[in-house]
Amino acid sequence: GNGVIIQTCGGGGVGKFMVAVDPSGQGDVSQTHIKYTRDKALPYVPTPVAYKGYLFLWTEQGVVNCVEIETGKTVWANKRVGGNISGSPICVDGKLYAICENGDVVVIAASPQYEWLGKTSLGDRSYSTPSVANGMIFFRTFHRLICLPAQN
């Protein structure tokens, strides 16, 4: 996002390290092209989401942080938005969607101002990542596949 490559890693069920790299260098860029690192409030399994200059870090414990993608500066932090997640959030039309393991779909704005948009239950547990195709958003639970229009 914004010309920066983001890499996260972790262990023991928690995110432990993130690095943001300027990809324009060659060879060993460890001293010249590292924009910033981070070692707190990181996801282990969920993939960070880059959107319009911001990076959204949604942890397995249902806590979300927003940082400026180019600087790593925290914009808002530690917003508890739901239960545990095993999949990754996705961004559709400026909204972040994630499925909690209990089957709740949580929606927040992909914005530098934290905004809770809602939660709804799928009625079944899920460890999956929502997906989008042909204008539709798909939510997979343990026993169902639910398909809805991806736009308002």
Side-chain angles (χ1 to χ4, degrees):
N2 286 55
V4 177
I5 295 174
I6 304 293
Q7 176 65 47
T8 62
C9 66
V14 295
K16 294 189 176 181
F17 185 74
M18 182 178 87
V19 61
V21 180
D22 171 355
S24 66
Q26 294 182 350
D28 182 355
V29 297
S30 61
Q31 301 300 312
T32 59
H33 286 73
I34 303 297
K35 294 187 75 87
Y36 58 90
T37 62
R38 185 178 175 102
D39 62 5
K40 292 182 176 29
L42 297 170
Y44 175 50
V45 173
T47 303
V49 175
Y51 184 74
K52 293 192 175 182
Y54 297 94
L55 188 65
F56 299 90
L57 305 167
W58 200 310
T59 72
E60 289 80 0
Q61 296 78 26
V63 176
V64 183
N65 291 271
C66 173
V67 300
E68 291 178 351
I69 198 164
E70 290 192 35
T71 66
K73 177 184 169 202
T74 299
V75 177
W76 47 262
N78 301 321
K79 300 296 185 182
R80 180 162 296 283
V81 297
N84 295 344
I85 71 167
S86 291
S88 294
I90 63 167
C91 186
V92 177
D93 195 26
K95 298 174 186 78
L96 293 169
Y97 295 81
I99 307 173
C100 300
E101 290 178 358
N102 68 0
D104 289 343
V105 175
V106 175
V107 185
I108 62 173
S111 165
Q113 293 79 38
Y114 173 75
E115 183 181 359
W116 169 265
L117 298 176
K119 175 176 74 170
T120 190
S121 176
L122 298 175
D124 192 16
R125 294 180 55 76
S126 178
Y127 292 171
S128 72
T129 298
S131 60
V132 177
N134 298 322
M136 304 300 282
I137 187 167
F138 297 86
F139 301 103
R140 183 175 53 86
T141 71
F142 285 6
H143 301 97
R144 285 182 249 164
L145 178 65
I146 299 161
C147 176
L148 301 169
Q151 300 176 20
N152 296 345

